[in-house]
Structure formats: C-alpha cells, structure tokens
Amino acid sequence: MDFRTSCEETKTGICLLQDGNQEPFKVRLHLAKDILMIQEQDVICVSGEPFYSGGGAEHNIPVVISKISKEQRAELSGLLFIGDAILQINGINVRKCRHEEVVQVLRNAGEEVTLTVSFLKRAPAFLKLLLNEDCACAPSDQSSGTSSPLCDSGLHLNYHPTNTDTLSCSSWPTSPGLRWEKRWCDLRLIPLLHSRFSQYLPGSDLCRQNAFQVIAVDGVCSGIIQCLSAEDCIDWLQAIATNISNLTKHNIKKINRNFPVNQQIVYMGWTEEREQDSLQDRKYTPKFLALRGSSLYKFLAPPVTTWDWTRAEKTFSVYEIMFKIFKDSDLLDRRKHCFGVQSETGEDLYFSVELECDLAQWEKAFQTATFLEVERIQCKTYACVLESHLMGLTIDFSMGFVCFDAATKAVLWRYKFSQLKGSSDDGKSKIKFLFQNPDTKQIEAKELEFSNLFAVLHCIHSFFAAKVACLDPLYLGNQASASASTSASSAATGKVKYTT
C-alpha cells in the first residue's frame, strides 16, 4: 500500500524551492500528519505505451534514462536517476550512437550491466514538457482524443561543453494512442518524526526572509522553501511544528512503555545551542534535548535505542539546574525565542528554538520534569561546613530546611520553607540564609559553605517551585496521572533520620 494513503493531509499550498545552486522553481507542498511531500510539475503518459526515445544521435542529444522500474535493481541501487545521460554501457561508448543502436547494445549486454552516466539537468526539456494545444507538433487529428508531448522551445541542453543544442519540436515523433498530462509528482518526501526545521542560515543568527528548510532525522533536506508572504511562512512553520510535536508526544508514549516509572520521558525535541567558543561563521549547532526521569540529556542526534541513552553528550540532574526564558533585552544576538540552562557546576547553556510555541512547550516541560522529580525524591541532602565543622543540610519537601551534625546526626536548626525570608551567596561557596524565628519573629542569619554551590541553589529553587505548583489546582490537575504514578516510588524513598 502506498505509504502516503495512510497520511491525513493537514495543509497544502504552492511555494518556490531553492534546491542547491539552481534557480528557484515552483513546487507544491503537501503536509500530512507524519510526512511533508514536496512535489513538482511533470508531464507523464497516462495511457498507451510511453515513447522512451530519450534522445540519440538522430536527435543530436544524448540518450537519457526516462523511466526506472519500481523495486528493480536499478532503483534499489540508488545510483541511477531519471534524466541521467547514458555515456557508456559495459565500457562501450554510446555518446554518438543512435537510439536503436543503444537499445541493441543494452540487449546484448547480458544480465550484468555497468552504466556510465552523467546527470544533465534537474529538468531536461524532453522530460519536463509543456502542454500546448496550439503547438504545430500536436497531432492533426484532434478527434482521436490524444495529445503528444510538446517541446520547451527555448531550453538548451548542455550535453557537451562545445556542443549546445536546442531541442526542437520536429525532433519529437508522435505516436497514436498516447495521452500525456501535466501532474504534480513527488520530488522529495520528508518524514516528520524527529525532523527539524529552521528559518536561519545554518549556524548563524541571520533569518531568511519568508523562507525555511526542513531536515529529516537521516539528514535529507527539503531545500530552501520560499513562501509568498511572511504570514504564509508562519502558517507553514506552525503547521509543521504542530505535526512534529504530535508525533513526538505519540512516540514518547510508546517509548515510556519500556521504561520504569522513575525514568519516564517528559519531553524531547530539537534546539540549536549557541557555542561559547564559536567560530565567526558558525555560532549555533543543532542539539537534541530530552527530559527523562531525573535528568536532562543533550544529544547530537535523537536517541533511538536504549543504548543511545547512555551515549548522551551531557546529562544534568533536572532538580539541580536552572531554566530561564530570555527576554528580548537579554538576547545575545538576532535570534528570538531563546532560553538558558545553568548547570549544577555553574555552566551557562544558551539554546534557540524557532517559534514562540516551542519556547512555551520547553518551559512547561522543565516545570513538569522538576515537579515530578521533586515529588519523587522528596528530599536532598548536601554536605556543608559551619565554623569548620562538617554538617549536612537537608532540603525536605515536607519539613523544609534541616541542618544537622554529619557525625552525630543531631539537628542544629530547622525551618519551614515559609520561614525563609531571603538569602545571598558569594558566587563561590557560601550561602547566607535569612530565616524568621516563628516565636520571636526575629530574622536569624545562618551561613553555610558548600563545595557545590550552584547545585544547592538550584535544588532549593526547584523545591520552592514544586511547592508553588502544589498550590495551583490547574497545574496539579494536569499532573494528576503523573503524580499518582510517582507517589508509590516516593513513599519508598528513604529519608535521613534526625535526633534532637
């Protein structure tokens, strides 16, 4: 069954396509749920036996391949294409042979045939013909209900550097019983799962005007798709983004069936990371981010197998990182829709996405992943130093802050989250907490020194964010199913035992 018949069409329209160094040409885009189809107009024989002369010495042009049978060795090799000029057959030079002579050489070539070919043009004139009922080449007997392919009278074929010929109408014989039609034929098919799209010139912050490209997960590129207006471009981008997002969510559901509750994927997708020590001509590199369980993963390519998850470029503890959306005044260059992640070591990562809706999805994903992980672990303890004594600070989702002696486990002080009235740090190792005494209402300062300052600060922020989320009924409603699945594992999580 044709794969495309199972794809529900969601959007279609006419655009221009810039493919390599060629001039832009008109294409039709078909956007389905899981594939983007790029089509160009072609003239095909819809009845009768097609005339496959494709040239020869009698036409003063080379013999070309005008048809490749489906599922045969020529197509499966991936090396031959319609429009290729046949130069040699099993080493025999056929450049100046007549069509019949080339056919005879092919017949005598045996079962194994080695072709030497040269690609002439993207659209050879004898394969991209215009229909024109007024052309003199049309059959005189119009009552037959047939028409013949008509020539592109102005197109030159650069077969040889010193020999450029014009294909004339007289070089095309007519054949009774043939009917030709101009139709939209597939030029390129881009699967949307794990594909990415960009309005920017590769690696830069320069945005194309009303244009974008789509790159499949295997690297196949659509070419530069030029829209008719800015509104049309945004419509296409949003429609493609929606379909990619829906496919990603569906794929996440399937993958999560194979992962335990505490390793579920919350969200994943493409971003572009701004390189800190980038070269002048390449500031951004595509990176695939995934929020799964307790970690943020950064990949060069989407993880497909379980083994791929062990090969991430970097991983970060989700409750020990800080997510931030940058306002326009905070952007580092001309790229919009950017967010930052500060790691537990203080490393700043800068990411760009294409659309505002992408930015909103990442913000929600980080909030969800943080909430679920805090709900799961319930508490986190960090080693610290107080007046040269080794201590421990536990951030407990239920109890708040608890400082205890690392050797005896004796509690020095404890405060609820609501009693924290402020804090400051030196950016290196020390944090000063300002707590309000519940009895005296006085502010009490507690200064602790940590070896992993940023991890502690980010963890405190994550626990506070989770506490705030608990006060939002709408947020909790959205996370009801996920919270229920994590409650069992949270209940089994061991906590530090304190003595007074």
Side-chain angles (χ1 to χ4, degrees), residues 266 291-293 318 364-374 475:
V266 173
L291 288 161
R292 175 190 164 204
V318 70
K364 181 179 179 180
F366 271 93
Q367 291 173 347
T368 301
T370 300
F371 176 82
L372 294 178
E373 187 59 19
V374 170
Y475 184 90

Side-chain angles (χ1 to χ4, degrees), residues 215-230:
I215 301 97
V217 68
D218 60 358
V220 175
C221 180
S222 65
I224 308 303
I225 299 172
Q226 183 73 49
C227 299
L228 302 180
S229 66

Side-chain angles (χ1 to χ4, degrees), residues 252 255-256 259 263-268 290-293 309:
I252 288 174
I255 297 175
N256 279 342
F259 288 143
Q263 295 183 28
Q264 297 283 289
I265 302 171
V266 173
Y267 191 71
M268 57 185 181
L291 288 161
R292 175 190 164 204
W309 288 93

Side-chain angles (χ1 to χ4, degrees), residues 299-428:
F299 297 95
L300 293 175
V304 178
T305 66
T306 303
W307 172 249
D308 289 339
W309 288 93
T310 66
R311 304 169 64 184
E313 186 180 81
K314 282 190 178 181
T315 59
F316 310 92
S317 297
V318 70
Y319 55 88
E320 291 182 336
I321 59 178
M322 184 76 75
F323 173 86
K324 177 184 178 181
I325 291 181
F326 291 110
K327 299 178 181 179
D328 290 345
S329 57
D330 298 327
L331 297 175
L332 299 182
D333 50 41
R334 286 167 286 193
R335 285 211 178 203
K336 301 179 180 179
H337 315 309
C338 298
F339 67 87
V341 174
Q342 188 178 64
S343 71
E344 55 261 44
T345 62
E347 178 186 9
D348 290 314
L349 307 176
Y350 189 96
F351 298 99
S352 166
V353 292
E354 292 292 324
L355 302 173
E356 188 174 357
C357 60
D358 296 331
L359 200 60
Q361 284 185 317
W362 277 112
E363 181 180 31
K364 181 179 179 180
F366 271 93
Q367 291 173 347
T368 301
T370 300
F371 176 82
L372 294 178
E373 187 59 19
V374 170
E375 278 276 281
R376 188 185 70 82
I377 65 174
Q378 287 293 301
C379 66
K380 178 66 178 178
T381 299
Y382 295 95
C384 57
V385 175
L386 174 62
E387 298 177 353
S388 301
H389 293 287
L390 184 60
M391 301 291 175
L393 176 68
T394 295
I395 308 166
D396 190 289
F397 192 64
S398 302
M399 302 174 62
F401 300 89
V402 180
C403 184
F404 61 93
D405 186 280
T408 65
K409 298 296 187 294
V411 173
L412 275 69
W413 46 262
R414 71 176 72 207
Y415 295 95
K416 297 179 180 180
F417 286 107
S418 60
Q419 293 175 279
L420 179 64
K421 299 305 178 181
S423 66
S424 60
D425 63 86
D426 62 357
K428 298 179 181 179

Side-chain angles (χ1 to χ4, degrees), residues 123-141:
F126 42 88
L127 296 177
K128 308 292 178 184
L129 302 171
L130 302 177
L131 293 178
N132 183 351
E133 294 180 356
D134 296 328
C135 179
C137 291
S140 58
D141 183 10

Side-chain angles (χ1 to χ4, degrees), residues 200-272:
Y200 296 92
L201 296 177
S204 75
D205 61 340
L206 298 176
C207 187
R208 297 186 177 93
Q209 185 174 5
N210 306 336
F212 63 94
Q213 62 179 345
V214 184
I215 301 97
V217 68
D218 60 358
V220 175
C221 180
S222 65
I224 308 303
I225 299 172
Q226 183 73 49
C227 299
L228 302 180
S229 66
E231 293 77 11
D232 192 32
C233 185
I234 290 297
D235 287 344
W236 273 109
L237 289 174
Q238 289 179 339
I240 293 172
T242 298
N243 287 17
I244 292 176
S245 178
N246 291 338
L247 287 171
T248 300
K249 292 175 182 177
H250 181 69
N251 193 45
I252 288 174
K253 289 182 180 179
K254 293 195 299 183
I255 297 175
N256 279 342
R257 297 171 188 168
N258 302 318
F259 288 143
V261 172
N262 62 340
Q263 295 183 28
Q264 297 283 289
I265 302 171
V266 173
Y267 191 71
M268 57 185 181
W270 283 103
T271 64
E272 294 214 11

Side-chain angles (χ1 to χ4, degrees), residues 143-197:
S143 63
S144 63
T146 64
S147 60
S148 61
L150 305 181
C151 63
D152 182 349
S153 58
L155 184 58
H156 290 72
L157 301 179
N158 299 322
Y159 162 55
H160 193 277
T162 60
N163 182 17
T164 301
D165 300 295
T166 301
L167 182 65
S168 65
C169 293
S170 61
S171 66
W172 282 93
T174 61
S175 178
L178 297 185
R179 187 166 63 88
W180 301 78
E181 286 185 4
K182 183 186 292 186
R183 290 186 179 179
W184 291 102
C185 300
D186 292 341
L187 175 65
R188 202 158 295 155
L189 303 178
I190 308 293
L192 293 181
L193 179 61
H194 292 329
S195 69
R196 56 187 175 90
F197 59 90

